[in-house]
Amino acid sequence: GLERDRQGALPPVVLLALADARLRGGALAAADQAFAEVAAQEAGTPWDGWARLGRGWVAIRRGDLAQARAHLVQVANAPEASATLATFMLAMIDAVDGQPRAAGARFATIRDDERSSSTLRAAARLGHAYASYWARDDGGARAAFDAIADEGGAFTDDARYAAARATLRSGDRDGAVLMLRALAGRSEVAAGSAAVPRALLDLEPAAILDRGFAAYRRAALRAPEQQLVALLDWDGRAFARALLRRLESTAAVTRGAAPPRPSHDRAASHVGPGPADGALEPERGARDRPATRADDASGVPWALLLVLALAATLPWLARTDHRSGRRGG
């Protein structure tokens, strides 16, 4: 119809902004259509790669991992900057598909690629450690997580939590509890500690992707690289408190005592970047972590991108109104 004709005439930057808004709103079909129209324009780098990344993300949200792979492989095999981002997403799909070794191999290629940003390489290093965890190599995963935590950086608390989780699964409950308490930062777990889904506490890949999409819908517009890095950048302290509460509840049931009473605050169901209304655990902001290249070297200043999108739309609207006026006259 006329709306589709007008949308197809929009510049790619505007279509991507529309697709982003529709994806955030859960309108998957409309988002996929807008991404597809950007790809059909063949506008070149970086628009083609971003459009296919978007279609891959839509397919993941639909649960169609085969279709997501098809879109992402096209980007990963192309000589453009988005190829590394596509490889990162393919690694997560491998993990969800139960192929942790394949996921680890993809993460390793990013980790070892000096052309990638330092932030993306750090995220891939953490992803590689997760791949060891998903492969049930608890000893190897623990060593990798400890090394990441000891070096410091944006993923320190995430790595410490994952190291404690690997320690717990290996059978060392007492050691894991000590690690979790040190990370939680208090001797007693607060009754109002935020609730985290069990699958996410267990670091299941599908839960990580779900959490990433939920965070994406709440977050401000960011470059694709920053969105992907955020998949693995959590509040490890909040996770530690939540897992401690779960362990204490289990121990109380074993002893025959009443388990700790869960909080029913609305905010207790929220964990992730971007505070919910009344959130108990504020987001770990830029003031709490070292500056990273993903914050300023993503290739496109996205606040400016929105301004450019609006500026690009105005001439199109003027031409449309002019043509409509001539037809009406």
Side-chain angles (χ1 to χ4, degrees):
L2 179 59
E3 180 179 356
R4 178 174 297 183
D5 292 341
R6 290 182 175 181
Q7 180 168 299
L10 287 171
V13 63
V14 180
L15 280 173
L16 286 172
L18 289 173
D20 177 83
R22 288 165 179 170
L23 184 55
R24 288 170 185 268
L28 299 183
D32 191 52
Q33 176 185 318
F35 284 129
E37 289 173 359
V38 174
Q41 289 184 11
E42 297 183 347
T45 302
W47 316 115
D48 291 351
W50 286 348
R52 292 190 173 91
L53 284 175
R55 297 199 74 188
W57 194 230
V58 169
I60 290 172
R61 295 309 305 161
R62 286 172 166 166
D64 189 347
L65 297 186
Q67 187 63 49
R69 280 187 187 279
H71 290 306
L72 296 172
V73 165
Q74 290 183 25
V75 185
N77 292 335
E80 56 179 278
S82 300
T84 303
L85 306 182
T87 301
F88 195 105
M89 292 178 70
L90 284 167
M92 289 303 303
I93 291 176
D94 286 336
V96 174
D97 264 348
Q99 304 175 51
R101 300 298 183 191
R106 292 189 197 273
F107 281 129
T109 63
I110 301 172
R111 178 199 62 194
D112 299 336
D113 186 353
E114 295 183 356
R115 296 169 298 178
S116 299
S117 74
S118 60
T119 302
L120 195 58
R121 291 179 68 189
R125 185 181 179 196
L126 181 61
H128 188 264
Y130 279 128
S132 295
Y133 176 83
W134 295 326
R136 306 195 70 81
D137 177 9
D138 292 327
R142 166 74 188 271
F145 290 132
D146 283 344
I148 293 169
D150 289 345
E151 289 185 3
F155 300 113
T156 297
D157 59 331
D158 310 302
R160 292 200 188 284
Y161 173 80
R165 192 68 189 78
T167 300
L168 178 64
R169 193 173 65 182
S170 71
D172 185 1
R173 179 188 175 97
D174 292 342
V177 168
L178 288 175
M179 296 168 70
L180 290 167
R181 287 197 178 281
L183 177 58
R186 59 186 69 175
S187 59
E188 297 295 332
V189 183
S193 294
V196 187
R198 176 178 289 269
L200 192 53
L201 282 181
D202 294 343
L203 304 178
E204 294 182 9
I208 291 173
L209 279 178
D210 286 343
R211 178 261 180 200
F213 184 73
Y216 159 74
R217 293 183 68 177
R218 292 191 303 267
L221 183 65
R222 295 183 291 187
E225 176 176 316
Q226 292 173 281
Q227 298 286 4
L228 287 185
V229 168
L231 278 175
L232 304 182
D233 188 8
W234 315 325
D235 186 345
R237 291 177 176 83
F239 276 41
R241 291 169 189 150
L243 183 54
L244 282 169
R245 280 192 59 79
R246 189 172 103 185
L247 294 175
E248 289 181 358
S249 296
T250 302
V253 170
T254 301
R255 294 192 305 266
R261 192 167 133 194
S263 168
H264 293 290
D265 273 341
R266 178 181 175 189
S269 63
H270 170 76
V271 169
D277 294 338
L280 296 172
E281 295 290 340
E283 178 184 5
R284 179 186 57 192
R287 65 182 184 279
D288 302 315
R289 63 175 184 257
T292 60
R293 285 181 60 186
D295 295 328
D296 56 17
S298 59
V300 176
W302 281 68
L304 178 60
L305 183 59
L306 287 177
V307 175
L308 292 174
L310 292 174
T313 306
L314 293 177
W316 174 80
L317 290 174
R319 292 195 302 270
T320 302
D321 290 342
H322 180 66
R323 288 196 299 267
S324 299
R326 286 193 303 181
R327 285 196 298 269

